[in-house]
Amino acid sequence: MIFANPSGAPELACDQCGCRWFDRLSGTSTCYECGAAVTPGNIAEIEAALAAFAAGKAAAGDPGHAAPAQR
């Protein structure tokens, strides 16, 4: 499940319980609350949401997300 945090950025939450905390150190990325696994589909969904968010920020002229200036 994807939701927007207070700054508007997308965050991944568990599809089963809604928890936002995942064990990424084990290499399996499981939910701390219920133990559900993060699926490849979940990863693809958050990557797409993050790319869309970054593109929107860049289009809006957000200097924190713009391409670096050429020297």
Side-chain angles (χ1 to χ4, degrees), residues 54-63:
K57 291 294 240 178
D62 185 335

Side-chain angles (χ1 to χ4, degrees), residues 7 17 27 32 36 41 71:
S7 69
C17 70
Y32 275 135
R71 294 183 189 225

Side-chain angles (χ1 to χ4, degrees):
M1 145 181 2
I2 304 293
F3 70 97
N5 68 21
S7 69
E11 285 193 33
L12 180 65
C14 177
D15 285 337
Q16 303 300 314
C17 70
C19 177
R20 296 178 294 158
W21 296 94
F22 297 98
D23 178 7
R24 293 174 183 89
L25 298 177
S26 68
T28 58
S29 294
T30 56
C31 175
Y32 275 135
E33 186 70 28
C34 71
V38 176
T39 67
N42 296 136
I43 300 299
E45 185 180 7
I46 190 64
E47 287 175 349
L50 289 167
F53 178 75
K57 291 294 240 178
D62 185 335
H65 293 82
Q70 298 294 321
R71 294 183 189 225

